[in-house]
Amino acid sequence: MRIPVIFILLALQLNTFAQTNITGSLVSTDGEKPQGISILVHEKKSKNNIITFAFSDDNGKFTVDINSTLDSIGISTRSLSYRDTTIYLANKNQHTQLKLIPQVNHIKEVNVKGIPITTKEDTTTYMVGSFEKESDESIGDVIARMPGFDVDTKGKVYYQGKEIDKYYIEGLDLLERRYAIANKNLSNKAVGSVEVLHNHQPIKMLRNKFFNDGTSLNIKLKKKYTTTTRAQGSIGLPFLKYSANVTPMLFSPKNQMIASWQSNNTGNDLSTQHHPFMFSNNEIDNFDNTKTELLSISSMAPQTISNQQRYLLNNANLLSYNYLTKINEDAQFKTNISYYNDFIEEDAKVSTTYYIDSDTTYLEEITDNNFTKNSVISDFTYTLNGSEKYINNKLRFENYWDNSRQNINSSEQNEKAYIPFLSVANEFDLYQMIGKQFINFKAFIDYNHAPQKMRYQPGVFEDYLNSGEDYSEAMQLFSQDEIRTKVSASFTFKRKDWSFSTELENDYSYADLQSSIKKEGISIATDSLKNKLQWHNGEAFINEVIKYESPNLKLRFSIPFSLVYYNINDQYHNAGDHFNQFLFKPYASANWTFKYYWTSSTSLSYRKQLGNVEDLTLGYIINDYQSLNQGSTNIEQNENISISSKLEYKNPLSGWLANASYKYKLTSKDIISNQISLGDYIWQSESVYLNNDKTVHNANGTISYFMSKWQTSVELKSGYTYNDYQYMLNDVLYNTHSNVSSAEFNFNCGAWRKFLIKYSYNYTATQQTTSQSTSKYDKNEHTASLFYYPNKQLWFNINYEYNNITYSSSEIETYFGDFACSYKPNKSKFNYKLELRNIFNAETLTQYSTSDISFIENIYYLRKRELLFKVSYRF
Amino acid sequence: MKKLHILLSLFALSTLNINSQTYKVIDTLEYLATYSYEFLTDSTNKSSIKFQEMHLLMGQNQSVFQHSSKILIDSLIIAYKDEDPKVAFLKIMSMSNGNRCSLFTQYRIVKHKTSFNTELYEKVGKLPIVVKENNKLNWQLFPKDTIKILGFTCYKATTQLSGRKYTAWYTSEIPINDGPYKFKGLPGLIMKLSDNTNSHCFELTSLTPFKNCMPIYLTKENYKELSQEEYNNAKKVDLLNKMKRYTNPANSSASPEKLARMEARMQRENNYIEKY
C-alpha cells in the first residue's frame, strides 16, 4: 500500500509547485501607468507558446496565475502605444516591474474581398449564385432571400417594405405592373445578377435633378439570348378537374417576349391577372377604366367566405402575350395583349320573407345562374426616354362580350343579360425641359360604348306593358356612349417638416344614354318607358394638400375646391337642366405618438357631392323581373360628415397590445327612393324629394398577448355597429335601425418546431328592426388548422371548420375539412402536391341577410369533394 | 415568403428619424474593423442564412460594435442636420447603398477598454432600451491550435455566452483586446468567432487605422434599462406585432394557407444569438 501513498504525495507536491502567482506593475518611461496592456506569459524558447495572459488594470498593475512545471517563463507586453517588451523570470511567486517605452505601433491596413454584394454609386449588384439555393424555383425565390427584399404570394417585390417602382429585364420594362409573371416564372438559373437601382428615376431627363425615393430592379441574364419555359399541371377527381400553366419566355438584346397560357376548372380565379388593379399611393390606379354594367344579373355567390375555392365553379382560360422591341437607345415599342375566357355556374335556393303593411308573405326561388365571360385587353405603348424629352403614349383597346343568364324555378322565369363593352383610350404623358425647369403635361381621352340589353321570358309587368295579358318576351335595351378627357398638372414644394402640394385638373365628358323596352321584338312607343339623355359635364378642380411630419406628430390637411358644370338635355322628359355647382371636400387628420407605447389618430372630413346623371332616367327601366325603376328629375345632392378616432397601445416589453377605435358617419341626402308594391312580389320604385339622414356608429376593440416562452399569441376582438336610416314604402316614410355585434377569439401556437396550430372562434349577432318587423340571427364559426413540417421537402396541412347559424328556431350546421400535402425531392426540378378539398362533402352554405322590407335566406350550392394532384416542372 | 425582411426593413427605416436624433461623441475612432456576420435566422433551416456587414469602431477607451450602415448614417445625419429632412433622408438612403440592417443586428454594443462592462443600446418599437452587463468571459486557450487569417497567426480559444459555446481565433500580432459582439478578453483581436452549431459566425474582413480624429457617436436618448431576457422577449413581441400589421388580411391577398406558413416561419425564425 505504500506505493500509492507516495504517488499521491508526489502528485500533491507537483501540484503545489505547478501553480505560481506573479504580480507586476507596468511603468512607462514618461511616468504614465499603462492600462489595458496585454501581458502574455509564454515559454522561454517560444513566444508563441502562450501559457496564460492578463491585462493591466487602471493603475498599470497585473496578476497572473501560472499552471506550468517550467523552470523559467517569459512575460511579454503587447500594445498599440508601447514598444513590445519581454522579460524572462524564474517560474516562482514574485513581484516584478516592467518598464515600457512609449511607441506608436501601426497596424497596416488589412483588406479582403469576397462579399457577394458590390456597390457602385446608386446601384447595388447581387450575384445570384451567392444567394440561390437548391429549393429555388424562380428568380423571385432568390430575390426574396437578398437582404432588404421581400416577395409576396402574388409575386410582387418589396424593398424596405415598399413595392418596387420598375422591374426591368436587361434594362427593359416589358411587363410593367404585370411583372409578377416574370418574377414567378423566370428560372433563377438563367439569371446572372440582380441590380438594385436606388433612388431610380425612370424618366432620364429628370435624373440628377429630382430625387425619387423609389427603388427599381434590373435582372441581368447570364446569356444575351435566353429562352426558358415553366410548366405546371394538375388533374383531379371527380372527372375531370384540371389546371395548367405554361409560360415560355425569350430574351435577346433588341427583343423580349413573355407569353403565358393558364387554364383551370378548380376554382382559381384568373380575372385578377387579366385586369390587375394596381395600388399606388393608396389609390387604385386604372379605376377610371373599369367596365360599365348598366344591366346585370346579380350574383348569388357567398359574401362571407373568403376561400373562393369552396364555391367558384369556373372554367377559365387566360392567354397573355407581351412583346417589346427597341427602336433605338432611347425609344421602344411594346405590345401587351391579354385574353380571358370563363364560364361560371351558380346554383342557389333563395327564400325571401316580405314584411309589408303588417302582412308577412313568403317567396321561394330556385335560381340557376351562369356567366359567360370573354374579353381582350390590348395595350400598345410607345416610349421615348431621352435626356431632353420624355414621351409615353399608351393606346388601349378593351373589348368585352359578356353575357349572363338566370333561370328561376326551372324556367318559370328566364333572364338573359347581354353586356358588351368597348373602350378605346389613349394616355399621353410628356415632360419637356424649358431652360432649367420642366413642364409635365398629362392628357387622357377615352371613348366607350356599352349597348347592353336584358331579355325576360316570359314577358314581365303585364299590367304596364301588355294591358294585363300574358306575353312571351320583354327586352330592356339600355345603352351608353361616352367620351371623357382629363388634363392635369401637379407641383410640390417642401420646407423643413412641411410640404405643400398643389394639384390642378380639368375634366370634361360628353355622354349619350338611351333606353327603351321591346315587347315580343317590337319597340313600345310610350314615352314613359323610354329615355334619351345627353349631357356635357365639366369639372375644374384645385386641391391644396398640406402635410406636417415630425417623428411624433403627423398632420395632414387637404383642401379641395371644385367647380362642376352640367348641361343635360332630356328628349322625352323634363330632367334637362343646366347648372353650375361649387363643391368642397375638406379633410384633416392628426397622428400623435406619445410615451413610446401610445399612438392616437383622429380624422375629420366633410364632403358635399353630387349623384349620377344616370339616375335621371324618368322613363321606367326594368331592373329585374320583380322591379321597375324610375329616376329623379334632379341630380341627388348629398352631404357627408365623418369622424374617426383610434387609440393604440403597444408594449413589446410586456407582450401586451391593445387598441380601441370609434367611427361616426352622418349622410344627408335630398332624394329618397319610394318602393311601391304592385302585388305578387313585384315592385316599382320612384324618386321622391325628401331630406333623409343615415347615421352609423361603429366601435371596435382588440386586445392581444404574446407569450414568448411558448411562441403563442392569444387575441380577443370585439365590435359593434349601429345603423339608423329612413326608407319609404308605399308612400309612407319609416325608420329602421340595425345592430351588429361581434366577438372573435384567436389562438396561434408555435411552441413546437415542426407544428403550427391555429384556432379561431367568431361570433356575430345581427338584428334589424323596421316598423314592420324585427329579424335576428346569430352565427358561430370555429376554424382550426394544423401544419406539420417534418423536413424541408415535405409539409402537411389539415383544416377543419364548423359553422352554425341560428334564426328563430332553426339551426343550420356546416362542416368543412381540407387536407394538403406537398413534396419536393432534393435537387429535383419537379414539385408534387396532393390536395383533398371539402372532405365532408358539404353541399350547401346558408347565409342570411336583411333589407328594409324583407329577410332573405340564401342556400348556395358549393363545390363537391375533390381530389387534386399537381406537378410543376421547369426547363 | 420572406415577409420578415420587410418588417426588418420597416424597422430599419423607423429608426432613421433624422431630426429626433441627437448625438453625443463618446470617443475618437482609432481603428475600424469590419466583420462579416453570417447567421441562420432559423436554426433548423440552413437556407435561412443571412449575411450582414458589421463594424467594430475602436476608440481610446471604448469600442462600439454595430451594423456597417450605422457609421455612415450617423455621420450623414450630423452632416445634413440643417437640411430639409426629406432631402437629407434621400441623400442618406442613397449613400447607404442598400446595405440595410436586419432586425437581428439593430443594436450598438459599447465595450469599455479596462473593464468587462458592456452596454447594448437599441430601439424596440419606439422605446430606446439599454441592456447593461458585466461579461467577464472565461476563456480557455489552446496555444497549439493555430490557423492563418489574412496572414496573421491566430490562436484558438473557447468560451460560453448565454447558452452557446463559441470558438474564437485571435491574433496577438494585433494587440487589441476586443472582438465582435460582446466578445473580448483575449490578448489580441478576435479575427474569427463562431458558435458550435455554426449558426452565428463572425469573420474579420478588414481593419483600417484612422488618424483624422473621427468621432464615435452614440445617440442621446432616455434609455430604459432591461435585462437580456426581457430584451429578447421584447424583440419577439415587437417582431410579431410588425408581422401582424403586415399580414393584415385587409391588405394582403395571400391565401390562408400561405399566411399560416409564413407565420410558422416567423415563429421559427428566432435563432437569436443569445438564448433564453
Side-chain angles (χ1 to χ4, degrees):
Chain A
M1 294 300 276
R2 266 179 150 183
I3 298 160
V5 173
I6 292 171
F7 209 80
I8 289 163
L9 282 173
L10 205 70
L12 279 172
Q13 199 184 19
L14 274 174
N15 241 345
T16 44
F17 276 100
Q19 169 99 39
T20 50
N21 176 279
I22 297 176
T23 57
S25 52
L26 304 180
V27 185
S28 165
T29 51
D30 62 5
E32 291 282 317
K33 290 170 179 164
Q35 310 166 350
I37 308 290
S38 300
I39 317 285
L40 301 177
V41 180
H42 50 82
E43 291 177 14
K44 196 173 171 180
K45 57 182 189 227
S46 167
K47 283 189 186 177
N48 289 335
N49 288 342
I50 300 165
I51 299 160
T52 186
F53 66 97
F55 301 100
S56 63
D57 65 13
D58 290 352
N59 295 314
K61 293 201 165 23
F62 67 89
T63 304
V64 280
D65 290 323
I66 302 161
N67 276 311
S68 172
T69 53
L70 292 170
D71 294 339
S72 58
I73 45 134
I75 293 183
S76 298
T77 67
R78 290 272 170 84
S79 77
L80 293 172
S81 21
Y82 296 94
R83 185 182 293 170
D84 290 357
T85 308
T86 305
I87 54 166
Y88 297 97
L89 299 169
N91 185 9
K92 60 174 192 189
N93 293 346
Q94 59 182 293
H95 182 83
T96 183
Q97 199 182 54
L98 276 98
K99 275 213 172 68
L100 300 185
I101 302 156
Q103 172 191 309
V104 178
N105 296 320
H106 293 292
I107 297 168
K108 268 191 233 138
E109 189 160 341
V110 183
N111 246 316
V112 281
K113 31 120 219 51
I115 292 173
I117 307 168
T118 53
T119 296
K120 198 180 164 198
E121 289 167 358
D122 273 354
T123 304
T124 306
T125 307
Y126 293 80
M127 303 311 294
V128 168
S130 311
F131 292 93
E132 68 188 358
K133 300 284 169 216
E134 275 308 326
S135 57
D136 290 339
E137 295 195 344
S138 67
I139 187 63
D141 294 340
V142 186
I143 291 173
R145 195 174 294 111
M146 295 174 177
F149 279 96
D150 190 34
V151 178
D152 78 4
T153 45
K154 274 187 165 178
K156 276 191 190 171
V157 181
Y158 297 82
Y159 185 68
Q160 305 294 339
K162 235 176 90 176
E163 199 188 341
I164 57 161
D165 278 357
K166 297 274 178 188
Y167 189 99
Y168 298 108
I169 299 170
E170 290 286 335
L172 300 173
D173 187 14
L174 170 63
L175 295 162
E176 299 188 356
R177 309 309 293 176
R178 286 194 178 103
Y179 66 78
I181 298 176
N183 202 42
K184 279 170 106 171
N185 293 302
L186 177 58
S187 164
N188 50 301
K189 298 289 175 209
V191 181
S193 63
V194 175
E195 290 180 345
V196 180
L197 315 170
H198 303 287
N199 309 314
H200 176 70
Q201 173 58 267
I203 299 170
K204 261 189 211 164
M205 59 174 271
L206 302 182
R207 279 182 202 160
N208 302 319
K209 295 186 181 79
F210 297 91
F211 267 114
N212 180 5
D213 60 348
T215 303
S216 297
L217 271 192
N218 183 25
I219 305 293
K220 296 284 251 183
L221 299 169
K222 279 180 186 160
K223 294 183 215 154
K224 266 190 172 177
Y225 297 87
T226 304
T227 52
T228 170
T229 301
R230 187 190 186 199
Q232 193 178 65
S234 65
I235 51 162
L237 295 170
F239 194 77
L240 174 72
K241 296 294 166 209
Y242 70 94
S243 78
N245 177 350
V246 180
T247 306
M249 305 180 206
L250 178 145
F251 303 98
S252 78
K254 286 227 151 184
N255 300 294
Q256 294 190 349
M257 187 280 294
I258 295 180
S260 183
W261 170 64
Q262 295 178 48
S263 177
N264 80 81
N265 64 1
T266 54
N268 181 12
D269 186 11
L270 298 178
S271 65
T272 52
Q273 291 187 45
H274 179 55
H275 213 296
F277 280 128
M278 267 78 61
F279 285 87
S280 67
N281 302 323
N282 298 320
E283 284 168 9
I284 301 174
D285 271 2
N286 252 338
F287 193 66
D288 276 354
N289 243 10
T290 47
K291 184 190 170 197
T292 310
E293 289 202 355
L294 301 162
L295 294 166
S296 65
I297 281 168
S298 50
S299 168
M300 298 290 153
Q303 308 296 315
T304 51
I305 49 175
S306 55
N307 189 353
Q308 268 190 330
Q309 287 170 350
R310 286 230 197 286
Y311 64 85
L312 183 68
L313 276 163
N314 66 339
N315 204 328
N317 286 288
L318 180 78
L319 207 56
S320 107
Y321 175 78
N322 305 278
Y323 177 74
L324 181 148
T325 183
K326 260 171 108 168
I327 300 165
N328 57 42
E329 263 319 294
D330 291 339
Q332 49 182 259
F333 184 75
K334 211 163 35 186
T335 308
N336 304 80
I337 300 171
S338 171
Y339 168 73
Y340 166 65
N341 156 267
D342 209 342
F343 182 76
I344 297 168
E345 287 175 90
E346 288 183 353
D347 286 299
K349 196 168 120 187
V350 181
S351 315
T352 314
T353 311
Y354 289 100
Y355 304 98
I356 308 145
D357 304 332
S358 72
D359 281 353
T360 304
T361 52
Y362 181 78
L363 174 70
E364 194 176 284
E365 294 168 318
I366 294 168
T367 60
D368 152 24
N369 292 351
N370 62 52
F371 300 86
T372 309
K373 298 184 178 187
N374 268 299
S375 56
V376 173
I377 300 176
S378 28
D379 290 342
F380 302 94
T381 316
Y382 168 79
T383 312
L384 172 73
N385 197 355
S387 49
E388 288 295 312
K389 188 181 245 175
Y390 173 84
I391 295 174
N392 189 60
N393 192 75
K394 180 183 276 189
L395 179 65
R396 167 175 282 200
F397 292 100
E398 278 181 67
N399 206 349
Y400 293 81
W401 310 267
D402 294 351
N403 62 63
S404 44
R405 185 186 57 75
Q406 184 167 50
N407 239 323
I408 295 157
N409 296 340
S410 38
S411 294
E412 197 176 282
Q413 183 68 49
N414 232 308
E415 297 180 13
K416 186 163 185 182
Y418 301 86
I419 14 190
F421 178 75
L422 169 77
S423 157
V424 182
N426 191 69
E427 218 178 87
F428 177 76
D429 196 359
L430 169 83
Y431 285 82
Q432 171 79 56
M433 288 309 285
I434 296 177
K436 286 192 168 177
Q437 291 300 314
F438 72 91
I439 52 160
N440 173 214
F441 175 77
K442 281 183 188 190
F444 172 78
I445 181 159
D446 175 29
Y447 164 73
N448 60 60
H449 175 60
Q452 303 180 350
K453 58 190 178 186
M454 184 121 108
R455 190 186 69 197
Y456 298 89
Q457 282 173 327
V460 290
F461 297 98
E462 304 86 345
D463 293 344
Y464 287 75
L465 305 179
N466 204 32
S467 337
E469 302 278 314
D470 285 350
Y471 66 109
S472 64
E473 180 188 301
M475 175 87 86
Q476 173 69 55
L477 298 137
F478 202 166
S479 73
Q480 185 176 317
D481 286 81
E482 196 181 13
I483 291 173
R484 298 180 301 147
T485 66
K486 190 186 263 183
V487 181
S488 68
S490 71
F491 173 75
T492 303
F493 167 75
K494 283 179 182 148
R495 179 88 200 129
K496 290 265 174 192
D497 295 345
W498 293 88
S499 92
F500 303 86
S501 33
T502 309
E503 298 165 34
L504 293 166
E505 194 178 303
N506 197 346
D507 300 352
Y508 167 77
S509 70
Y510 168 77
D512 181 332
L513 185 146
Q514 296 186 32
S515 87
S516 63
I517 297 173
K518 275 185 180 172
K519 184 174 70 181
E520 294 175 342
I522 300 150
S523 293
I524 303 175
T526 324
D527 279 1
S528 68
L529 300 174
K530 284 201 284 193
N531 286 291
K532 184 165 171 58
L533 280 165
Q534 284 163 320
W535 68 90
H536 298 268
N537 164 223
E539 183 171 1
F541 175 82
I542 178 166
N543 186 12
E544 187 65 35
V545 180
I546 302 168
K547 282 192 236 174
Y548 171 82
E549 273 181 28
S550 77
N552 292 326
L553 183 66
K554 290 185 176 68
L555 302 173
R556 187 192 156 109
F557 305 94
S558 163
I559 313 157
F561 294 96
S562 68
L563 184 67
V564 181
Y565 155 83
Y566 273 103
N567 186 355
I568 303 160
N569 174 27
D570 185 350
Q571 193 175 322
Y572 301 118
H573 312 283
N574 58 346
D577 202 355
H578 175 141
F579 66 95
N580 290 320
Q581 174 111 25
F582 185 69
L583 300 174
F584 182 49
K585 306 168 189 172
Y587 170 86
S589 73
N591 194 312
W592 181 44
T593 305
F594 55 103
K595 293 198 167 160
Y596 307 115
Y597 304 136
W598 295 89
T599 308
S600 87
S601 47
T602 304
S603 72
L604 293 170
S605 79
Y606 165 82
R607 51 176 59 209
K608 186 173 177 179
Q609 46 193 12
L610 295 175
N612 298 319
V613 190
E614 285 87 341
D615 296 334
L616 302 185
T617 46
L618 286 170
Y620 284 98
I621 287 171
I622 308 172
N623 255 20
D624 59 56
Y625 82 102
Q626 287 172 312
S627 64
L628 196 59
N629 285 334
Q630 187 191 30
S632 58
T633 325
N634 289 324
I635 294 184
E636 178 192 278
Q637 297 211 3
N638 65 58
E639 280 178 280
N640 253 309
I641 295 170
S642 69
I643 299 168
S644 81
S645 193
K646 186 172 182 181
L647 185 67
E648 269 184 288
Y649 173 79
K650 286 181 199 155
N651 186 345
L653 304 186
S654 64
W656 286 100
L657 309 164
N659 69 61
S661 66
Y662 170 73
K663 280 179 203 147
Y664 167 79
K665 192 172 176 183
L666 174 70
T667 310
S668 310
K669 293 181 179 179
D670 65 345
I671 292 175
I672 194 164
S673 168
N674 180 19
Q675 303 257 80
I676 301 160
S677 169
L678 304 175
D680 284 341
Y681 315 107
I682 59 174
W683 303 88
Q684 175 191 331
S685 81
E686 57 183 37
S687 300
V688 173
Y689 292 92
L690 184 76
N691 287 329
N692 62 99
D693 293 342
K694 179 175 181 177
T695 317
V696 183
H697 296 270
N698 171 267
N700 279 301
T702 306
I703 185 159
S704 76
Y705 179 63
F706 177 69
M707 288 170 274
S708 65
K709 207 171 184 178
W710 300 100
Q711 293 285 326
T712 296
S713 62
V714 181
E715 184 180 57
L716 269 174
K717 276 185 186 176
S718 71
Y720 175 75
T721 306
Y722 175 83
N723 253 302
D724 183 294
Y725 58 95
Q726 285 129 24
Y727 66 97
M728 197 179 250
L729 179 65
N730 294 333
D731 303 324
V732 184
L733 192 69
Y734 295 103
N735 238 331
T736 177
H737 62 258
S738 70
N739 299 299
V740 180
S741 324
S742 66
E744 194 180 321
F745 170 76
N746 289 311
F747 173 80
N748 203 330
C749 176
W752 301 278
R753 212 150 242 293
K754 291 184 173 174
F755 292 95
L756 178 76
I757 297 161
K758 295 178 85 169
Y759 167 75
S760 87
Y761 169 65
N762 215 315
Y763 168 77
T764 319
T766 310
Q767 182 179 341
Q768 173 139 4
T769 311
T770 65
S771 45
Q772 276 97 10
S773 73
T774 296
S775 42
K776 190 170 178 277
Y777 57 94
D778 293 348
K779 203 170 135 188
N780 290 285
E781 282 179 302
H782 299 262
T783 316
S785 125
L786 171 78
F787 283 84
Y788 173 52
Y789 319 83
N791 56 48
K792 241 172 76 184
Q793 290 83 36
L794 198 61
W795 60 261
F796 297 91
N797 169 221
I798 297 169
N799 284 325
Y800 175 76
E801 228 178 287
Y802 166 73
N803 295 347
N804 112 27
I805 179 160
T806 50
Y807 169 63
S808 64
S809 58
S810 70
E811 181 177 355
I812 293 156
E813 294 180 313
T814 320
Y815 302 88
F816 288 114
D818 301 296
F819 169 80
C821 159
S822 167
Y823 177 64
K824 184 177 190 308
N826 261 340
K827 299 185 181 183
S828 166
K829 285 182 168 182
F830 286 97
N831 191 2
Y832 309 96
K833 190 178 176 188
L834 188 72
E835 259 184 285
L836 180 61
R837 296 178 182 169
N838 198 355
I839 297 171
F840 309 117
N841 208 9
E843 287 190 341
T844 58
L845 185 79
T846 303
Q847 291 189 104
Y848 294 126
S849 57
T850 53
S851 81
D852 308 337
I853 51 168
S854 62
F855 176 80
I856 303 151
E857 182 192 60
N858 176 353
I859 300 173
Y860 192 88
Y861 290 86
L862 299 165
R863 291 183 75 97
K864 301 231 162 58
R865 184 191 297 138
E866 284 168 351
L867 181 72
L868 286 171
F869 179 68
K870 183 167 151 187
V871 182
S872 316
Y873 180 70
R874 79 186 52 252
F875 47 88
Chain B
M1 294 283 104
K2 307 246 162 166
K3 301 276 175 188
L4 183 65
H5 291 281
I6 289 214
L7 306 170
L8 309 192
S9 337
L10 284 174
F11 189 87
L13 283 178
S14 69
T15 57
L16 218 164
N17 265 327
I18 296 165
N19 18 4
S20 69
Q21 225 77 304
T22 46
Y23 286 92
K24 61 176 181 189
V25 175
I26 58 165
D27 211 326
T28 309
L29 184 63
E30 292 188 330
Y31 287 93
L32 173 70
T34 309
Y35 288 91
S36 72
Y37 176 26
E38 284 185 353
F39 56 99
L40 300 180
T41 50
D42 172 0
S43 61
T44 59
N45 181 358
K46 292 278 177 245
S47 70
S48 72
I49 192 155
K50 292 285 164 258
F51 171 87
Q52 295 275 287
E53 195 183 52
M54 305 298 289
H55 274 159
L56 177 65
L57 285 73
M58 291 169 278
Q60 275 178 337
N61 303 310
Q62 288 166 84
S63 72
V64 179
F65 184 71
Q66 62 188 24
H67 188 261
S68 62
S69 63
K70 289 207 152 114
I71 186 169
L72 186 72
I73 290 171
D74 289 347
S75 53
L76 290 171
I77 288 175
I78 289 159
Y80 290 125
K81 192 165 70 215
D82 301 322
E83 283 246 19
D84 174 346
K86 294 259 163 53
V87 173
F89 179 84
L90 291 172
K91 286 183 180 170
I92 291 166
M93 290 323 270
S94 78
M95 279 189 261
S96 67
N97 288 333
N99 173 20
R100 315 275 155 90
C101 202
S102 142
L103 177 86
F104 294 89
T105 54
Q106 288 285 330
Y107 48 70
R108 294 176 197 253
I109 293 169
V110 176
K111 300 197 282 281
H112 298 265
K113 204 165 205 171
T114 54
S115 73
F116 291 95
N117 292 335
T118 60
E119 290 130 32
L120 181 148
Y121 295 93
E122 189 171 338
K123 264 191 183 177
V124 178
K126 298 202 167 185
L127 180 75
I129 60 100
V130 59
V131 180
K132 290 187 179 172
E133 283 173 298
N134 187 296
N135 281 322
K136 183 156 169 40
L137 295 169
N138 192 7
W139 289 102
Q140 236 190 314
L141 302 186
F142 298 87
K144 299 276 186 303
D145 284 342
T146 64
I147 53 168
K148 285 257 183 193
I149 296 174
L150 300 176
F152 294 93
T153 306
C154 300
Y155 300 93
K156 184 177 164 179
T158 61
T159 192
Q160 287 191 28
L161 177 72
S162 309
R164 287 183 198 273
K165 289 179 177 161
Y166 290 91
T167 300
W169 297 90
Y170 68 96
T171 179
S172 55
E173 292 163 45
I174 304 173
I176 300 173
N177 168 19
D178 217 327
Y181 197 63
K182 294 177 180 172
F183 297 93
K184 63 176 281 186
L186 285 168
L189 188 65
I190 298 172
M191 302 288 279
K192 187 177 175 177
L193 180 118
S194 62
D195 76 325
N196 62 349
T197 64
N198 259 328
S199 50
H200 291 270
C201 305
F202 298 91
E203 188 166 349
L204 188 110
T205 56
S206 77
L207 180 69
T208 317
F210 268 76
K211 282 179 199 142
N212 44 1
C213 297
M214 183 164 161
I216 300 178
Y217 298 104
L218 197 65
T219 47
K220 250 200 255 179
E221 300 264 10
N222 209 353
Y223 291 103
K224 185 179 170 68
E225 197 171 332
L226 300 184
S227 73
Q228 178 70 33
E229 193 171 354
E230 285 171 323
Y231 161 77
N232 273 20
N233 287 347
K235 290 282 287 188
K236 284 181 198 166
V237 175
D238 189 46
L239 183 68
L240 190 86
N241 183 21
K242 284 178 171 127
M243 181 197 77
K244 268 192 183 161
R245 199 181 334 160
Y246 189 73
T247 60
N248 184 358
N251 53 30
S252 163
S253 56
S255 68
E257 168 199 312
K258 294 213 164 146
L259 281 177
R261 288 178 66 192
M262 194 192 95
E263 268 180 54
R265 199 182 149 144
M266 290 289 302
Q267 296 196 331
R268 283 178 294 141
E269 289 208 342
N270 55 5
N271 190 22
Y272 292 94
I273 186 163
E274 297 194 41
K275 288 202 222 173
Y276 283 94

